[in-house]
Amino acid sequence: MNSGILQAFQRELICPICMNYFIDPVTIDCGHSFCRPCFYLNWQDFPILTQCFECIKTTQHRNLKTNIRLKKMASLARKADLWLFLSSEEQMCGIHRETKKMFCEVDKSLLCLLCSSSQEHRDHRHCPIEWAAEEHRENLLKKMQSLWEKACENHRNLNMETTRTRYWKDYVNLRLEAIRAEYQKMPAFHHEEEKHNLEMLKKKGKDIFHQLHLSKSKMAHRREIFRGMYAELKKMCHKPDVELLQGFGDILHRSESVLLHMPQPLNLELSAGPITGLRDRLNQFRVDITLHHDEANSHIFQYGDLRTICIGCDHQNAPHTTATPTNFLAWGAQTFTSGKYYWEVYVGDSWNWAFGVCNKYWKENNQNDNIYGEEGLFSLACVKNDIQFSLFTTSPLALQYVPRPTSHVGLFLDCEAGTVSFVDVNQSSLIYTIPNCSFSPPLRPIFCCIHL
């Protein structure tokens, strides 16, 4: 083959970022290709839509698949370089005058075939150099994938802690205001209890704020360790075959130890003391809620039978709601246009449940058991993520860092004040009050669950 054509062909197998033969190449939307590790290390802190390193066109770097054909050709190019290296006079066996084709994994030496069968190396593990190099390179790529997944998980956790730290003081202040407002509706003799509960809440809030900063620091430090280890593995992958085999050392073991230390987000819980007489006051507005006869089911809100809304955070750290096709939504038979009303539901030790009130618009747009949005929905939801439970309220959608209720939960609807309050009946404590609700009467109770 013409040397110019050969050189042009080889250039097509070189990553434009690292200027080495491709390892695990990926081809993005515009058609340009890069090593996956180079792509990740250059764009990991960018948004999902980025610019191509070559043509500056906008591209989306999600779910990138390995370009198998390009990977095979790059592997062939490395083998050609290897054989060019081994065919040199310096690499000939001094005893047998044969090419050193074999690699001894015990003493990391290159051997000719006859030497590998000698008494000195007979009990050692050895194999063709090109096979050993590709095997080691693939092991590195697998470890890099595991490392990258952990790095992405740590990145998400760091974003979560950063967001929670940014809004934590505001959340604590809202809790304080809501509890203070609740005490204002109680007799004056609760003053000492109010003072004690608010002071305890402030102290817990400050302690958690400090813990969040420590958690962020640990995750930021771990991010640099992940990135450094990933870059070291990438550098090893790009080494020529013989250098890779002889310099491999304990790099896999060290990368494994990095994976063992993974800081986790804090399980935040800002509990408040009980409010004496809270339920007695709310029971003055007690109503019995029954489900519409067409949608009622005897299993709703029974222990262990509740599975419903799945709520999380998207890439912009904004909470959102989704629901599976098997969600069961049921509305109470009653409607409310004015006045004050209080009712309770029993949730026991169940998880993934939700209840609240919604307006006519929200109900009519959710007839097919799908939760499209939160506009017109004022609810409390409990969800389970892995081993942790989380509470959310809607309108606006917000996390509530309070202990998960394990008995009865109460809802107080005040149409005049434009508020919806949720209380933990067993603890006689306020979970949250949704303020400034934009009600569009009539309002109807809503229950969300799914049957096992």
Side-chain angles (χ1 to χ4, degrees), residues 274-318:
I275 300 176
T276 304
L278 176 62
R279 192 185 186 200
D280 292 338
R281 183 181 71 81
L282 295 177
N283 272 333
Q284 301 174 48
F285 311 99
R286 187 69 174 259
V287 292
D288 292 324
I289 301 296
T290 57
L291 297 182
H292 192 280
H293 69 278
D294 290 335
E295 297 164 303
N297 188 295
S298 60
H299 293 293
I300 292 179
F301 291 108
Q302 288 186 0
Y303 175 84
D305 262 359
L306 309 180
R307 304 288 188 277
T308 185
I309 303 177
C310 182
I311 305 182
C313 291
D314 61 18
H315 295 282
Q316 285 70 44
N317 304 310

Side-chain angles (χ1 to χ4, degrees), residues 25-225:
V26 293
T27 303
I28 59 178
D29 300 343
C30 60
H32 290 109
S33 300
F34 308 93
C35 296
R36 184 189 299 273
C38 295
F39 191 85
Y40 282 172
L41 286 173
N42 276 271
W43 281 299
Q44 69 163 333
D45 294 326
F46 280 50
I48 292 173
L49 291 176
T50 63
Q51 290 182 327
C52 172
F53 187 84
E54 285 278 270
C55 65
I56 319 299
K57 288 184 179 178
T58 300
T59 184
Q60 184 172 1
H61 63 88
R62 292 178 63 183
N63 303 319
L64 296 173
K65 295 182 179 180
T66 300
N67 188 324
I68 301 297
R69 187 178 299 276
L70 202 55
K71 183 177 181 179
K72 288 181 178 179
M73 289 192 292
S75 178
L76 290 173
R78 275 192 296 270
K79 288 180 181 179
D81 283 355
L82 172 65
W83 282 108
L84 184 63
F85 171 78
L86 295 177
S87 64
S88 65
E89 181 66 24
E90 293 82 2
Q91 298 304 318
M92 296 293 288
C93 175
I95 300 174
H96 303 104
R97 302 306 297 169
E98 289 189 4
T99 302
K100 297 177 182 179
K101 301 178 181 179
M102 307 301 291
F103 174 69
C104 177
E105 295 196 357
V106 175
D107 59 15
K108 310 297 182 184
S109 61
L110 306 184
L111 307 169
C112 73
L113 192 58
L114 292 173
C115 285
S116 67
S117 303
S118 66
Q119 184 174 359
E120 180 183 357
H121 292 280
R122 186 179 302 160
D123 297 328
H124 295 174
R125 183 179 183 272
H126 29 63
C127 58
I129 295 173
E130 60 189 57
W131 293 4
E134 286 304 305
E135 180 183 22
H136 281 55
R137 193 169 279 112
E138 285 301 313
N139 286 336
L140 284 171
L141 288 173
K142 289 178 182 177
K143 190 59 63 178
M144 290 171 73
Q145 181 60 31
S146 299
L147 190 66
W148 187 256
E149 290 172 0
K150 285 293 184 182
C152 289
E153 180 184 343
N154 183 72
H155 183 70
R156 291 191 296 269
N157 291 342
L158 178 57
N159 284 343
M160 181 190 301
E161 295 297 67
T162 301
T163 301
R164 297 200 293 184
T165 303
R166 186 183 305 128
Y167 296 112
W168 184 252
K169 288 185 178 180
D170 289 338
Y171 174 76
V172 174
N173 288 333
L174 285 174
R175 289 278 292 151
L176 291 168
E177 291 175 11
I179 292 172
R180 191 177 290 113
E182 201 61 44
Y183 271 108
Q184 290 176 357
K185 304 170 187 176
M186 308 296 290
F189 63 80
H190 289 91
H191 177 71
E192 288 301 318
E193 178 184 286
E194 175 187 1
K195 181 180 178 182
H196 172 75
N197 283 347
L198 293 179
E199 287 179 353
M200 289 297 296
L201 198 61
K202 288 179 183 177
K203 183 179 183 304
K204 290 178 183 177
K206 288 181 180 179
D207 290 343
I208 291 174
F209 187 69
H210 178 65
Q211 293 172 28
L212 281 169
H213 275 288
L214 290 177
S215 180
K216 276 179 54 184
S217 298
K218 290 179 181 178
M219 291 176 182
H221 179 62
R222 183 55 45 177
R223 177 184 59 190
E224 297 309 310
I225 292 176

